[in-house]
Amino acid sequence: MGKKRRTAAAPTQAATEKPATLKDLLSPDVLNKLKNQAKELQVQEDNRKERERQKAEEARRAEQKKLDNNFEYLLNNSSLDWRKYKK
């Protein structure tokens, strides 16, 4: 008969002994403070992005209004097929 292998016991022992993580090492109040701070930073970032989006939208509207008052722009971008407007 051959030798019996005992490799099955080693992986189960390694699976139960997980290394300590930073979350495990920090106290719950410090962890809660960090989570709250992360949420606040995310809200601030979302607000900043929304303000930038609104600013870009207002700039686009202002540019379009400026172009709508420009006769040359309207003439160049209008349809030259006047037959469809003819009665």
Side-chain angles (χ1 to χ4, degrees):
M1 294 212 180
K3 294 182 182 179
K4 292 184 179 180
R5 295 184 183 181
R6 294 187 179 212
T7 57
T12 57
Q13 186 180 18
T16 58
E17 294 179 13
K18 295 181 181 178
T21 62
L22 185 59
K23 183 178 178 181
D24 297 333
L25 297 176
L26 290 176
S27 64
D29 59 332
V30 172
L31 192 60
N32 288 333
K33 285 181 184 178
L34 288 173
K35 284 183 181 180
N36 290 337
Q37 186 177 14
K39 286 179 187 177
E40 288 176 14
L41 289 174
Q42 183 64 37
V43 168
Q44 288 175 357
E45 182 67 18
D46 292 343
N47 290 340
R48 184 188 61 81
K49 286 181 181 180
E50 181 64 23
R51 283 193 307 269
E52 286 180 4
R53 187 192 64 77
Q54 288 177 351
K55 186 185 257 186
E57 182 69 21
E58 289 174 8
R60 186 192 61 79
R61 285 183 189 155
E63 182 66 24
Q64 186 62 41
K65 188 174 181 178
K66 178 183 169 188
L67 290 175
D68 286 345
N69 290 331
N70 186 349
F71 184 74
E72 181 181 5
Y73 171 80
L74 293 174
L75 184 62
N76 290 336
N77 291 325
S78 67
S79 173
L80 296 178
D81 185 17
W82 292 98
R83 287 179 280 173
K84 66 180 180 181
Y85 299 108
K86 193 174 184 180
K87 292 185 179 181

